[in-house]
Amino acid sequence: MSDATLHATGRNPDDFAVQIADQVESFLVAVTEVAQGDEPDSAVPFLLLEVSQLLLAGGRLGAHEDIVPDERYEPDPGPEQDVDILRENLGRLLEPIDVYSEVFDPYEPRRAPVPARISDDLADVVADLRHGMAHYRAGRVTEALWWWQFSYFSNWGSTASATLRALQSLVAHVRLNQPLAELDGLDTDQGVGDDTLEFEAGQVMAQEIGGPLGMGPVK
C-alpha cells in the first residue's frame, strides 16, 4: 500500500486504513455499550460477534506487509484513557463465566494452561486499540496502522483470540445443552494443572446462564 493511500484525505470506504479504523471503532463502541449492562441478555453473543469481526481486521493487519511509521519515534498520542471502569463493569456482568483457561503459546511443548478473565482481556484489547485510534484521529494514519499491526502481533491478537475461544466455547455449551463442569476453585490467582484442562466455570448450567445471557439450547 502506498503512502498516497495511507494519507488520503477523503474517507474512501475501499481504503485499507479506513476499513481497519472503522472495524476498530465499531469494536470500541460495542464493548463500551455492553459494559454498561443495559442489555445483559445479549452480552455474550454480541461480544462473540464483535471479537470475531475484530479478529478479521487483525488477520488483515497480520497478512499485510510490515507498516513503517513516518517518524522514527512514536509521537505522543496524549493521555491514555482509563480502562479500569470498563474492566470492572465487564467483570460484574460476566461474573459467573468470566474466568477461563488459556494456553499462551500453543507451540511451546507441554505448557500448562493458566486462568484468565474475559473482562481483563477485553479491557486490555480496548487499551491497545484506543492507543492507535488516538493517532488515527490526529491524522497520523500510518502511525495508527503501524501501532495496530505491531500490537496485534505482540498483544491484542493473541488476547482477542483466547477470548474468542472462551466465548465460542460458552455459547456452544449452552446452545448444545452441555452444562459446564462445576467450579472447583478456579481463579486467576492460581495456576491450572493438566487435570483442569477443560474450562470450569462453576455451576453454570443452561438454565442459569441461558436465560440471563439470552441463549437457549438448540431444540
Side-chain angles (χ1 to χ4, degrees):
M1 180 169 47
S2 68
D3 283 340
T5 301
L6 285 172
H7 296 286
T9 55
R11 289 183 54 81
N12 184 341
D14 294 329
D15 285 350
F16 178 78
V18 172
Q19 292 174 354
I20 297 298
D22 284 349
Q23 189 57 67
V24 168
E25 178 68 15
S26 174
F27 178 82
L28 293 175
V29 171
V31 173
T32 301
E33 291 180 350
V34 169
Q36 292 175 356
D38 295 335
E39 298 183 17
D41 291 350
S42 60
V44 168
F46 195 37
L47 288 173
L48 176 66
L49 175 62
E50 290 299 324
V51 175
S52 298
Q53 292 178 334
L54 176 67
L55 283 171
L56 173 59
R60 295 183 66 192
L61 287 165
H64 197 281
E65 63 186 6
D66 288 348
I67 299 169
V68 180
D70 295 329
E71 302 178 29
R72 182 176 180 182
Y73 299 102
E74 181 186 8
D76 184 3
E80 299 286 348
Q81 195 171 351
D82 189 14
V83 296
D84 284 344
I85 294 178
L86 177 74
R87 188 192 316 272
E88 293 169 2
N89 288 344
L90 287 170
R92 283 192 293 269
L93 182 65
L94 302 172
E95 193 275 330
I97 42 85
D98 196 19
V99 179
Y100 69 98
S101 298
E102 175 190 6
V103 176
F104 282 118
D105 189 347
Y107 284 99
E108 188 171 334
R110 293 180 296 278
R111 179 69 179 268
V114 297
R117 292 186 182 275
I118 296 175
S119 57
D120 287 342
D121 290 350
L122 290 175
D124 290 346
V125 171
V126 165
D128 274 348
L129 298 179
R130 281 177 176 173
H131 186 94
M133 185 58 71
H135 287 305
Y136 186 81
R137 288 173 175 163
R140 298 185 291 269
V141 178
T142 311
E143 192 74 37
L145 289 175
W146 168 81
W147 172 259
W148 285 328
Q149 185 186 59
F150 167 75
S151 56
Y152 169 76
F153 288 126
S154 63
N155 187 43
W156 73 261
S158 58
T159 301
S161 297
T163 306
L164 177 65
R165 182 69 183 91
L167 292 168
Q168 190 276 337
S169 178
L170 173 63
V171 172
H173 274 288
V174 175
R175 298 296 296 273
L176 298 177
N177 197 21
Q178 298 174 345
L180 298 172
E182 183 176 355
L183 180 65
D184 188 21
L186 180 63
D187 200 352
T188 53
D189 293 332
Q190 66 186 76
V192 180
D194 292 338
D195 58 340
T196 54
L197 292 177
E198 181 180 358
F199 167 46
E200 297 175 332
Q203 200 84 16
V204 281
M205 306 176 89
Q207 182 177 0
E208 295 178 355
I209 64 174
L213 298 180
M215 299 177 292
V218 176
K219 301 291 186 180

